[in-house]
Amino acid sequence: MEPENYKTLQVSRGFTYRYFSVPAKGSGNKTILFLHGFPNADTDWRHQVSFFKGRGYGLIVPNLLGYGGSSKPTDPAEYRQSLMSKDLVEILDKEGVEKVVAIGHDWGAYVAGRFALFQPHRTEAVGFITVGHVPPSLSPKFELEPSFEITKKRFGYEVLGYWEFFASLDAPKVSMDNFETFFNILWPDDPKTWISDMAPLGALRKALEGKKVLPAPRWMSEEDKRLISEPILKNGLEASMCYYKLHVQGFGAEDDQLLAGKAEIPQPVFFLDATDDFIAGEEYFMTALGHTESPVKKYCKNATVKQVKVDHWVMLHIPDKLNDMLLEWMETF
């Protein structure tokens, strides 16, 4: 991702976003808004950027709030999606782009879905990678405890147990003080590590504080390791963990009340469900959030759904296959 294609913009609420941008070539080509997740950065999408740039697509790839060269507030309320979606609209306005195909991974998928709901007139289509459509909460309060009980009974472990750790005051320091263990758990050599050392209640803290030795991901290139590690080591995790605190402290559910129960996304939707993702895979994650059926099937009537036996880090494991699937989907509308 060429340095000359990076820009910065101070949005109206005072925060600065750093983002990669190239214009679409030709009047008929779409612009894609790629949205990364935790705890990475815009470079997660570099394989998609080179692929779609070469085909004339426009691209806007921000470091989301809390990451990279963008502002890093530590108040979770600043990460409300009603506010962040407006930030993204200001970037689109600066780039002269009316509508985008918003594609997100991990927390970026949540951002993409909320962008579609808060800014439907700026959304041409939505792509969800690993994390599917999360409908707005009908409750003004978010509670983790019920999800622990439900998923422990169904899967044998608390799927969102690690949220309690990430939302704690000392989680950024504990994680950074034990970075090698943190890295090898989040990007595991064996995806089932998430069942033993990531998801269950208390497991991640225990592994980190005990400096548990785990194998490094043999599937990952040294370049990938560098691109992932460097921004985290430079910026820490205090800001990026606010995406978890947003929900645990109730700001996400409060923000959802602005949507008045609006959950449908009528635009074309793409969803890649990673079946070896034992946290964010749709069955696990949506059960943890209290859904008894697929929200994509229920609320996205124009959806293309793919299931792939891969873990959470789809863009690293199967970049070419993902590119082909996204291109095939985008050529349908």
Side-chain angles (χ1 to χ4, degrees), residues 86-98:
K86 291 178 181 178
D87 295 344
L88 293 173
V89 163
E90 291 186 36
I91 295 175
L92 302 193
D93 289 344
K94 175 69 180 300
E95 295 303 307
V97 173
E98 183 61 28

Side-chain angles (χ1 to χ4, degrees), residues 47-69:
H47 301 299
Q48 285 67 52
V49 165
S50 61
F51 180 85
F52 285 102
K53 180 184 175 186
R55 285 158 178 79
Y57 283 79
L59 297 163
I60 298 174
V61 193
N63 280 293
L64 288 174
L65 200 66
Y67 295 92

Side-chain angles (χ1 to χ4, degrees), residues 1 9 17-24 29-37 41-42 44-45 48-49 52-53 57-65 70 81 84-95 97-105 107-117 119-120 122-129 270 315 326 329-330 333:
M1 297 169 70
L9 175 68
Y17 281 79
R18 184 172 186 264
Y19 62 97
F20 177 93
S21 177
V22 293
N29 272 345
K30 304 171 179 67
T31 295
I32 306 171
L33 176 66
F34 279 122
L35 302 163
H36 68 84
D42 60 304
D44 269 10
W45 297 107
Q48 285 67 52
V49 165
F52 285 102
K53 180 184 175 186
Y57 283 79
L59 297 163
I60 298 174
V61 193
N63 280 293
L64 288 174
L65 200 66
S70 297
Q81 293 305 300
M84 283 184 59
S85 64
K86 291 178 181 178
D87 295 344
L88 293 173
V89 163
E90 291 186 36
I91 295 175
L92 302 193
D93 289 344
K94 175 69 180 300
E95 295 303 307
V97 173
E98 183 61 28
K99 286 189 175 186
V100 291
V101 178
I103 300 176
H105 170 255
W107 278 114
Y110 175 76
V111 176
R114 286 299 182 272
F115 182 83
L117 295 176
Q119 305 290 339
R122 306 302 294 268
T123 306
E124 184 172 359
V126 187
F128 297 105
I129 312 298
F270 175 88
M315 295 96 77
L326 289 173
W329 167 63
M330 283 192 284
F333 58 89

Side-chain angles (χ1 to χ4, degrees), residues 251-272:
F251 296 113
E254 287 180 16
D255 202 47
D256 280 354
Q257 303 307 299
L258 299 174
L259 293 168
K262 296 177 182 177
E264 291 190 6
I265 299 179
Q267 297 93 334
V269 165
F270 175 88
F271 173 41
L272 188 150

Side-chain angles (χ1 to χ4, degrees), residues 120-141:
H121 58 295
R122 306 302 294 268
T123 306
E124 184 172 359
V126 187
F128 297 105
I129 312 298
T130 69
V131 174
H133 176 40
V134 179
S137 174
L138 298 177
S139 169
K141 185 179 180 182

Side-chain angles (χ1 to χ4, degrees), residues 25 28 311 321:
K25 293 181 180 179
D311 77 6
K321 185 172 184 177

